[in-house]
Amino acid sequence: MFRPEFKRTPLTSGFGMLELIFHAAVRHVRKQHHNAVVGLLMSIVQSVLMVVIMVFMFDLLGLRGAALRGDFVLYIMSGVFNFATHSKTLTAVSKSDGPTSAMMKHSPMNTIVAIASAALGALYLQTLSAAVILFFYHALWTPIVIYDPVPVIGIYLLSWASGIGVGMIFKAATPWQPEFFSIATSIYARANMIFSGKMFLANTIPAGRLHFYTWNPLFHSIDQTRGYMFQNYHPHNSSIEYTIWVTFILIIIGLMGENFTRKYASLSWNAGR
């Protein structure tokens, strides 16, 4: 009310939106834990536990020799980091503030900002966690050698983007039937433990079972990551173009669904539940 009025151009509006997304992303990160350092440590511990458990499982089952030639722990990390980023982003986006949230009472705020900030917050935590883990592994255990690091980073971001697309689908559908789609989100996240292919190589999957995995864009992302990360591995059963197109389609459908839901969402929907 007491803010001076000035003519807003598309450029200033765009920068204003980016600033709002930044502050909302900071709020989203701080919301998970009041102490930012503790929140980061919790994210690091979760990723480390996933890596340790998978290494222990491979050793226990005698499957370590079935992995590709190269650093075995780095091979495990290539799957864990893509999987964790996809899953955490999916959960953050699907549970971001909706049209009936109290945050939407503030004039500049809208659901697109809420989705973008939730996605950026998840990316920040997972990327920082991965960087810290890789640094300490490189410094304390063995030097890390990545064959082609730039495409590895690009596909990592693609795993994040596919998490946004799937999360937006669940976010748009959840207000219509919260109980069902809450369970469906959990089922999808649990199914990705197997169908993401993070525990094995796509080239070793028999042709008769390949169709159980090729529907999943994360499966293609993880396999292509390993192709660029290790010089001796060449993916034959995955395609990066598939992940790009599926991610694009999911985000478009999610935006359409979110726009439709926003028009009809009401606080009274949950009154009878």
Side-chain angles (χ1 to χ4, degrees), residues 155 158 202-203 210 213-225 228 233-247:
I155 298 175
L158 188 58
N203 287 359
L210 196 59
Y213 304 93
T214 51
W215 62 270
N216 191 349
L218 184 58
F219 169 81
H220 295 263
S221 296
I222 291 176
D223 191 51
Q224 289 292 318
T225 296
Y228 288 108
Y233 182 67
H234 304 283
H236 299 300
N237 295 328
S238 62
S239 169
I240 197 64
E241 289 81 7
Y242 174 84
T243 305
I244 293 173
W245 280 109
V246 169
T247 299

Side-chain angles (χ1 to χ4, degrees), residues 55 57-70 72 75 201 204:
V55 170
M57 286 177 56
F58 272 77
D59 280 335
L60 185 65
L61 299 174
L63 299 175
R64 188 162 182 161
L68 49 76
R69 288 181 294 170
F72 176 72
Y75 159 75
L201 293 174
T204 62

Side-chain angles (χ1 to χ4, degrees), residues 106-120:
H106 300 276
S107 176
M109 192 66 178
N110 56 60
T111 52
I112 299 301
V113 172
I115 292 171
S117 61
L120 286 175

Side-chain angles (χ1 to χ4, degrees), residues 10-272:
L11 183 62
T12 56
S13 298
F15 278 110
M17 179 68 73
L18 292 176
E19 182 183 10
L20 181 60
I21 291 174
F22 169 76
H23 289 293
V26 173
R27 172 184 173 272
H28 178 81
V29 173
R30 295 295 296 260
K31 183 174 64 174
Q32 299 181 15
H33 202 283
H34 295 297
N35 190 316
V37 176
V38 175
L40 175 61
L41 289 176
M42 291 175 61
S43 180
I44 293 173
V45 169
Q46 289 176 354
S47 298
V48 169
L49 285 176
M50 291 180 66
V51 173
V52 171
I53 290 172
M54 289 190 63
V55 170
F56 176 75
M57 286 177 56
F58 272 77
D59 280 335
L60 185 65
L61 299 174
L63 299 175
R64 188 162 182 161
L68 49 76
R69 288 181 294 170
D71 191 324
F72 176 72
V73 177
L74 190 60
Y75 159 75
I76 295 296
M77 289 180 182
S78 65
V80 168
F81 292 156
N82 280 277
F83 168 81
T85 302
H86 178 91
S87 299
K88 294 291 186 179
T89 303
L90 184 158
T91 303
V93 169
S94 63
K95 294 182 178 181
S96 60
D97 293 324
T100 59
S101 171
M103 284 296 295
M104 298 304 153
K105 296 179 180 179
H106 300 276
S107 176
M109 192 66 178
N110 56 60
T111 52
I112 299 301
V113 172
I115 292 171
S117 61
L120 286 175
L123 178 65
Y124 167 77
L125 284 176
Q126 294 306 311
T127 302
L128 199 54
S129 300
V132 170
I133 293 171
L134 287 172
F135 170 77
F136 280 102
Y137 180 70
H138 177 84
L140 300 179
W141 273 270
T142 182
I144 292 175
V145 178
I146 297 177
Y147 177 62
D148 201 350
V150 175
V152 168
I153 296 173
I155 298 175
Y156 171 80
L157 294 176
L158 188 58
S159 298
W160 169 68
S162 61
I164 295 175
V166 178
M168 290 181 66
I169 297 292
F170 284 118
K171 175 178 174 57
T174 297
W176 299 94
Q177 190 54 250
E179 295 84 2
F180 173 79
F181 285 105
S182 177
I183 295 173
T185 304
S186 299
I187 291 175
Y188 175 84
R190 300 299 181 271
N192 259 339
M193 291 290 292
I194 299 174
F195 297 111
S196 64
K198 68 186 179 72
M199 296 186 292
F200 43 79
L201 293 174
N203 287 359
T204 62
I205 301 176
R209 297 182 181 179
L210 196 59
H211 62 277
F212 288 110
Y213 304 93
T214 51
W215 62 270
N216 191 349
L218 184 58
F219 169 81
H220 295 263
S221 296
I222 291 176
D223 191 51
Q224 289 292 318
T225 296
R226 289 166 175 165
Y228 288 108
M229 184 173 286
F230 299 98
Q231 186 176 5
N232 298 314
Y233 182 67
H234 304 283
H236 299 300
N237 295 328
S238 62
S239 169
I240 197 64
E241 289 81 7
Y242 174 84
T243 305
I244 293 173
W245 280 109
V246 169
T247 299
F248 176 76
I249 292 171
L250 288 175
I251 291 176
I252 294 299
I253 295 176
L255 287 171
M256 294 170 62
E258 194 280 329
N259 181 63
F260 180 81
T261 300
R262 186 173 67 249
K263 292 180 179 179
Y264 294 95
S266 172
L267 287 172
S268 63
W269 278 10
N270 295 322

